[in-house]
Amino acid sequence: MKSNSQLSLALHLLLHMADMEEPVTSGLLASAMNTNPVVIRRLMGGLREHGIVQSRKGHHGGWTLSRPLAELTLRDVYLALGGGPLLSLTHRTQNPDCLIEQAVNETLDGAFRDAEALLLARFADLSLAALQSRIHAAIHSPAHLCA
Amino acid sequence: MKSNSQLSLALHLLLHMADMEEPVTSGLLASAMNTNPVVIRRLMGGLREHGIVQSRKGHHGGWTLSRPLAELTLRDVYLALGGGPLLSLTHRTQNPDCLIEQAVNETLDGAFRDAEALLLARFADLSLAALQSRIHAAIHSPAHLCA
DNA sequence: ATTTCATGTAACTTTTATAGTTACATGAAA
DNA sequence: TTTCATGTAACTATAAAAGTTACATGAAAT
Ligand code: FES
Ligand code: FES
């Protein structure tokens, strides 16, 4: 399948928004990310339902963070995006009666679970504030947004 | 994209072959796996190039293991299949100049590398012989092959 | 009020990775 | 020389993700 880059996109968006005073429109964010406003709105919609961002319609509307980055971890963002699959390997379930298939898949699942758990634990240890400070050390105009 | 189940399939095939005396045809394997012979031949072709299986054409031809399962780990099989991506998450590389994108992606990559390393290490610890003995404990007719 | 602008969303198209299919050439055993 | 199986190219199908179009809804500004 086509590989999933929503987490990368979401983080990029949130970090940009953190440096903005005013609400930012999906149009502006989209052109900075070289994508389409609807893609942004869809993704942000998910984050809004988890209390991460807020939106306002109409004039001077747009998107703002609804809690400080220090209270947000990569894990929160990943889960708010729906917590989709982390691994690209699946197992075949063509004939569930086959004992070999069962044994193979149980074994693989064990390894998969461990890798996923490790990744989630890593995500939980990374706050967006940490990312942000790393970025601010490198950038000197915080509110920059490629339009 | 459609998710990748080659490793699961390959393991299933190898374990079946281990219990067979005679070479097995791609046609037979395919019907046991509910798939197409060409899918089997393609996959096995990769394994042959890495010395895992052998093929013979013509009458009574087919596929046989070319080394004992005890010398094969899941890692070997995974690598012989091409060592494709393990994780379904990627990062977006729309504007490589953007420092935020860079920081986000470096951070993600760190976590991804660790998870992949863990998974590979797990794979390296699992020999096919171990899988096989687990299966033989459950099955009493080793050479069974759903056709 | 009415104009303006931005979100909210449904429906559709495009892209890309994987799997499955058809067709046939090649080669080895019987 | 017939039979059977691999080897491979070319094509189709399926599925997941991303991008696009179109328009309804709602809020600010004048
Ligand atoms: S778009 Fe991220 S810094 Fe320019
Ligand atoms: S196909 Fe695996 S045991 Fe029947």
Side-chain angles (χ1 to χ4, degrees):
Chain A
M1 84 190 124
K2 216 167 164 179
S3 76
N4 181 325
S5 61
Q6 282 190 57
L7 181 58
S8 168
L9 175 59
L11 294 172
H12 193 156
L13 290 171
L14 292 171
L15 289 165
H16 267 297
M17 288 167 57
D19 291 325
M20 307 302 236
E21 301 296 329
E22 302 287 296
V24 198
T25 68
S26 59
L28 186 57
L29 291 170
S31 72
M33 304 293 151
N34 286 313
T35 183
N36 189 289
V38 177
V39 172
I40 305 288
R41 295 207 280 266
R42 272 201 296 241
L43 185 145
M44 296 292 264
L47 300 185
R48 184 189 44 219
E49 282 167 17
H50 287 76
I52 295 177
V53 298
Q54 282 175 307
S55 61
R56 218 173 53 201
K57 287 183 168 182
H59 236 127
H60 291 142
W63 301 87
T64 45
L65 291 175
S66 56
R67 41 173 159 137
L69 291 190
E71 294 175 12
L72 262 187
T73 66
L74 297 213
R75 181 168 176 279
D76 298 324
V77 178
Y78 163 70
L79 292 176
L81 290 173
L86 292 171
L87 297 175
S88 57
L89 275 46
T90 337
H91 43 58
R92 164 169 291 254
T93 50
Q94 300 290 2
N95 44 7
D97 308 330
C98 169
L99 290 169
I100 294 186
E101 182 168 294
Q102 282 172 32
V104 165
N105 289 344
E106 278 166 24
T107 299
L108 287 176
D109 278 340
F112 291 171
R113 263 195 299 276
D114 288 355
E116 284 182 337
L118 173 76
L119 204 49
L120 262 189
R122 277 300 217 86
F123 283 175
D125 263 344
L126 292 164
S127 86
L128 293 222
L131 251 180
Q132 188 183 31
S133 62
R134 194 182 310 176
I135 291 162
H136 282 176
I139 301 188
H140 292 122
S141 60
H144 167 68
L145 219 185
C146 305
Chain B
M1 85 192 128
K2 222 166 159 178
S3 77
N4 181 325
S5 60
Q6 282 190 58
L7 181 57
S8 168
L9 175 59
L11 294 173
H12 193 156
L13 291 171
L14 292 171
L15 289 165
H16 267 298
M17 288 167 58
D19 291 325
M20 306 303 236
E21 301 295 329
E22 303 287 297
V24 198
T25 67
S26 60
L28 186 57
L29 292 170
S31 72
M33 304 293 151
N34 287 313
T35 183
N36 189 289
V38 176
V39 172
I40 305 289
R41 296 206 279 267
R42 272 200 299 241
L43 184 145
M44 297 291 263
L47 300 184
R48 184 188 45 217
E49 282 167 18
H50 288 78
I52 294 177
V53 297
Q54 283 175 307
S55 61
R56 218 171 55 199
K57 287 182 167 183
H59 234 125
H60 290 145
W63 300 88
T64 45
L65 291 175
S66 56
R67 40 171 159 139
L69 290 190
E71 294 175 13
L72 261 188
T73 66
L74 297 214
R75 181 168 176 279
D76 297 325
V77 178
Y78 163 70
L79 292 176
L81 291 174
L86 292 170
L87 297 175
S88 57
L89 274 45
T90 337
H91 43 58
R92 163 170 292 254
T93 51
Q94 301 291 2
N95 45 6
D97 309 330
C98 170
L99 290 168
I100 293 186
E101 183 169 293
Q102 282 172 33
V104 165
N105 290 344
E106 278 165 24
T107 299
L108 287 177
D109 278 339
F112 291 172
R113 263 195 300 275
D114 289 354
E116 285 182 337
L118 173 77
L119 204 49
L120 263 188
R122 275 302 215 84
F123 283 175
D125 263 345
L126 293 164
S127 86
L128 293 222
L131 250 179
Q132 187 183 32
S133 62
R134 195 182 310 177
I135 290 162
H136 282 176
I139 301 189
H140 292 122
S141 59
H144 166 68
L145 219 185
C146 305

